[in-house]
Amino acid sequence: MSVTVVSRLLLGPGAARGYAGCAAKPATRKPVAQRTLTRWDVGMPLHEGETPVTHPLVADLVRQQCPWWAGLPLRRLRTSGTEHTTWRLGEDFLVRLPRHADAAQGLLKEITWWPRLRGVIPLEVPEVLHVGTPTEHFPPPWAVNRWLPGEDAA
């Protein structure tokens, strides 16, 4: 049985048209108050030894290390991945905090390589505006990037 057939059996006739999981019609999501909360919604750790990343922690990091952005609205993005938590800071910025040590190393590689790729590949590349230094409450490095508009691939 093909993936398309299985997807349509599980998700209905308007579901995936192939392995990529592209839906024929956009899915509608219930407001958070009307659905069961998940680990993503409440910011629970996904990995053993992960430092929980909460709104007060991110707000404190921004206030202490980037006071010029401290007054901007801050909200957790639901599309945070398994490697980083992501937060929208105002309309123009994205705060990325690694969930574990391996992700921190990956973040440092990204910070090194993104500027080198800008203008070399035909895609918009994130622009790192601030690299956060470790603190007692959040030991890994973290970053503030310029927000890239577009559709979420997740």
Side-chain angles (χ1 to χ4, degrees):
M1 194 175 294
S2 77
V3 172
T4 302
V5 171
V6 171
S7 296
R8 288 187 180 152
L9 287 173
L10 294 174
L11 303 174
R17 297 189 183 272
Y19 188 71
C22 300
K25 59 183 178 180
T28 56
R29 295 189 55 81
K30 293 180 181 179
V32 171
Q34 296 178 6
R35 62 184 158 88
T36 304
L37 294 178
T38 67
R39 298 179 92 141
W40 301 103
D41 295 313
V42 296
M44 290 178 60
L46 298 177
H47 306 282
E48 190 174 321
E50 177 181 335
T51 301
V53 178
T54 62
H55 187 278
L57 172 68
V58 179
D60 283 347
L61 290 170
V62 170
R63 187 178 66 254
Q64 292 168 7
Q65 297 188 30
C66 309
W68 48 91
W69 293 323
L72 296 176
L74 178 69
R75 66 180 169 87
R76 176 187 293 275
L77 296 179
R78 179 145 173 81
T79 57
S80 291
T82 59
E83 297 289 309
H84 298 89
T85 62
T86 53
W87 297 74
R88 186 80 184 258
L89 179 61
E91 292 298 312
D92 299 320
F93 310 108
L94 176 75
V95 181
R96 294 181 71 223
L97 300 103
R99 293 180 179 273
H100 52 82
D102 288 343
Q105 292 304 312
L107 179 70
L108 293 173
K109 286 181 185 177
E110 293 171 4
I111 290 167
T112 300
W113 279 96
W114 283 337
R116 295 177 186 177
L117 295 173
R118 192 172 291 111
V120 175
I121 61 173
L123 301 170
E124 280 192 83
V125 176
E127 178 184 359
V128 179
L129 303 173
H130 175 79
V131 178
T133 57
T135 69
E136 177 185 346
H137 299 292
F138 195 76
W142 52 281
V144 178
N145 300 340
R146 187 167 309 285
W147 179 261
L148 289 178
E151 296 296 317
D152 184 15

